[in-house]
Amino acid sequence: MASIPSACAHRAWLEVAKNISSCSDKDLLTVMSYNILCQTLIKRSRYPYASKGSLKWKNRKETLFKELKHWDADIVCLQEMGINYWNEDFDRFFVANGYRSRFFFNTFKSHGVSVSWKRTKFHIVDELHVSMDGSAEICGESLNTQNIALVVVLRKGSETRCLNPQDEETCAENCTGALGKAPGVIISNTHLYWLPGGCYERLQQQIVLLRGVKEMQEKYPDFAVISCGDFNTTPDDAGYDLLTKPRPVKLNEWQLDNLLPRTIEDDDEEDDPASKAGKTTAASTAVGSDNKGAGSKSYATVISSPFDEEGARAKRAKLEEQERKLEEQAKVDAERVQRLVSMIQRDYKPLESCYGAYAAIDDSYRTEQWHGEPKFTNYTDWKGTLDYIFFAPGPEISLHEVVSLPDEKRLKPGLPNDAFPSDHVSLLARFAI
């Protein structure tokens, strides 16, 4: 018998619903979501606490493979999947272990997202590649990020039993399940914009993602909906509330302020504290000095000079004009935010987070800040919850169990380490469909 990987040894399935025994194995679905940390994003400066060996791809790859094999999920959603590492390693791994897969990436990034499923349990009937760049438009605005999402539609039943997956009638006859007609799953996987100040951009991306999922729902109305990913959104963010809370959602002042658009640049320096420190907002660059260098006179110096009254008036007029423009821009930005907030509530029903009540079943992860979500799914110098498995509540799906999160003492001082190959921890949920 194979030994249990260190990353899995102290994690166990925890009940979040009763009557699990009433469901047969064939009706249970295990889903895994995991940001595996793209090797090309690893820099020693980001993980100064990590051992040299824990950052090497050869070691990380083997540890990841052992963890994937141990949990043996029916559907696996991976984020930060390096393009070359998919082609050279993971595609072969999944094929060898009985999975079929789809992989999607933006050509401006070194990594993408993948969805893999057991070919003995599901076959693919549809898919959608969702781009969150200039080709996508929300409320008349084009997105200025390079993120993506992958939506895959899976029908229950082995691909070997459905020789013609495009023939819906044939598949329904060959793949009857507990509901009389084969249940299916619309599974999405995404990795949203990483910059902490990019709440507005993430809200745009959430709407683009939900729009893609809804497109598939309209084609496959009886299918369950599960949405996985690194949403780069903490549970106290407006984006989390707008995804999960009953309508209408009342956002507080702090949440609304964080939603205001910022001046940002999209790059691949994800989770780099040095990169974060170098970003500034539109407001911070517009207010203050004229950016003429340390030798320029301050406003106070100018108006105190008896020899430059005309210059003082010009300076005052310029500052008043800047203030007027800032006030106008603030009003425009508030309207932009309100349009997005109204759209997501009007057009999309709330989802439920599988780990949304985790604090109730694991006291060690209890925190008032996160609405019942775990204290963290990302554990570096910054520690917090960014990763989720969401689902659309309905008669076609019910959540039964989630896998416990690791004891924090095994993660200190930060991830990755020799046992945990990523700076995120994996999430797993078990559903009845």
Side-chain angles (χ1 to χ4, degrees):
M1 181 177 179
S3 61
I4 298 177
S6 296
C8 312
H10 302 280
R11 304 182 68 183
W13 286 102
L14 302 177
E15 278 190 27
V16 295
K18 304 300 181 182
N19 302 320
I20 295 178
S21 59
S22 64
C23 297
S24 63
D25 289 342
K26 71 176 182 179
D27 300 321
L28 291 177
L29 166 66
T30 303
V31 176
M32 180 187 214
S33 183
Y34 199 179
N35 180 328
I36 64 171
L37 177 57
C38 181
Q39 188 69 19
T40 61
L41 299 180
I42 291 181
K43 295 180 181 178
R44 166 55 63 182
S45 60
R46 295 186 188 181
Y47 309 105
Y49 48 78
S51 68
K52 187 176 181 180
S54 67
L55 298 181
K56 288 187 175 180
W57 176 241
K58 180 180 178 181
N59 299 332
R60 295 184 59 238
K61 177 181 68 174
E62 294 305 317
T63 308
L64 284 166
F65 285 171
K66 289 178 182 178
E67 187 174 358
L68 292 171
K69 282 185 177 181
H70 173 79
W71 293 119
D72 193 33
D74 300 314
I75 299 176
V76 180
C77 294
L78 301 180
Q79 304 92 40
E80 283 196 25
M81 170 58 67
I83 298 170
N84 292 336
Y85 302 102
W86 174 262
N87 295 328
E88 297 172 6
D89 300 308
F90 278 85
D91 189 25
R92 298 175 185 177
F93 169 84
F94 281 117
V95 169
N97 286 276
Y99 290 85
R100 290 284 186 258
S101 303
R102 289 293 187 270
F103 177 52
F104 180 47
F105 61 93
N106 185 295
T107 55
F108 291 96
K109 286 186 175 285
S110 62
H111 53 87
V113 298
S114 65
V115 176
S116 304
W117 60 92
K118 287 186 176 178
R119 61 175 181 259
T120 57
K121 291 194 173 185
F122 294 97
H123 60 276
I124 187 170
V125 295
D126 212 339
E127 65 183 287
L128 181 66
H129 295 176
V130 180
S131 295
M132 300 172 179
D133 53 21
S135 65
E137 187 177 280
I138 295 293
C139 294
E141 293 184 45
S142 295
L143 276 65
N144 61 348
T145 56
Q146 306 297 335
N147 298 81
I148 48 91
L150 175 61
V151 185
V152 175
V153 183
L154 303 174
R155 184 179 289 280
K156 191 175 180 182
S158 168
E159 64 181 32
T160 59
R161 295 171 58 198
C162 277
L163 300 179
N164 182 11
Q166 301 303 320
D167 186 338
E168 289 289 316
E169 184 175 351
T170 300
C171 286
E173 292 174 356
N174 290 342
C175 305
T176 54
L179 302 182
K181 180 181 179 181
V185 181
I186 300 170
I187 184 90
S188 67
N189 186 19
T190 192
H191 187 190
L192 299 187
Y193 185 62
W194 71 274
L195 193 67
C199 294
Y200 182 81
E201 286 72 25
R202 278 189 291 276
L203 182 55
Q204 288 180 311
Q205 292 175 346
Q206 287 178 7
I207 294 174
V208 173
L209 170 63
L210 292 171
R211 185 169 64 187
V213 171
K214 188 174 183 179
E215 179 181 335
M216 292 295 100
Q217 283 182 284
E218 290 172 351
K219 294 175 67 175
Y220 306 93
D222 297 325
F223 284 38
V225 173
I226 300 173
S227 187
C228 298
D230 177 352
F231 286 76
N232 272 314
T233 299
T234 54
D236 55 354
D237 282 343
Y240 179 90
D241 284 355
L242 292 169
L243 275 176
T244 61
K245 284 193 173 181
R247 281 61 171 121
V249 178
K250 184 174 178 57
L251 300 176
N252 60 45
E253 185 176 346
W254 177 83
Q255 289 174 317
L256 288 170
D257 182 65
N258 282 344
L259 277 178
L260 291 173
R262 305 295 200 261
T263 299
I264 63 169
E265 297 175 14
D266 191 37
D267 54 38
D268 232 7
E269 297 297 310
E270 300 191 26
D271 302 320
D272 188 346
S275 295
K276 294 178 185 178
K279 305 295 182 182
T280 56
T281 66
S284 66
T285 56
V287 179
S289 72
D290 261 351
N291 297 320
K292 295 180 180 178
S296 61
K297 295 182 179 180
S298 69
Y299 176 53
T301 302
V302 171
I303 62 175
S304 65
S305 170
F307 306 106
D308 196 10
E309 292 185 10
E310 184 176 348
R313 285 195 296 271
K315 186 73 172 182
R316 186 181 298 109
K318 184 176 182 179
L319 289 174
E320 290 174 351
E321 177 65 12
Q322 286 181 341
E323 184 176 353
R324 184 187 64 78
K325 288 181 178 180
L326 283 174
E327 290 176 351
E328 290 179 354
Q329 187 60 50
K331 182 178 179 181
V332 170
D333 288 346
E335 292 173 351
R336 292 165 67 192
V337 168
Q338 190 55 52
R339 284 197 296 269
L340 294 184
V341 170
S342 298
M343 172 182 281
I344 194 171
Q345 296 190 76
R346 180 188 69 237
D347 296 345
Y348 305 104
K349 295 179 180 179
L351 303 174
E352 185 173 327
S353 172
C354 293
Y355 281 79
Y358 186 76
I361 56 177
D362 187 345
D363 289 343
S364 67
Y365 271 73
R366 185 167 297 167
T367 171
E368 296 299 324
Q369 184 181 13
W370 286 162
H371 303 291
E373 292 280 354
K375 287 189 295 186
F376 50 76
T377 61
N378 176 233
Y379 202 90
T380 58
D381 290 334
W382 181 88
K383 300 165 180 63
T385 296
L386 301 173
D387 308 273
Y388 305 93
I389 301 177
F390 296 114
F391 69 101
E396 65 280 353
I397 186 172
S398 59
L399 174 65
H400 280 199
E401 297 174 294
V402 296
V403 165
S404 63
L405 293 175
D407 190 320
E408 186 172 2
K409 66 183 180 182
R410 304 188 68 237
L411 310 181
K412 292 181 177 180
L415 298 180
N417 61 29
D418 292 332
F420 295 86
S422 175
D423 53 356
H424 295 246
V425 295
S426 58
L427 301 180
L428 289 104
R430 184 170 287 156
F431 303 89
I433 62 170

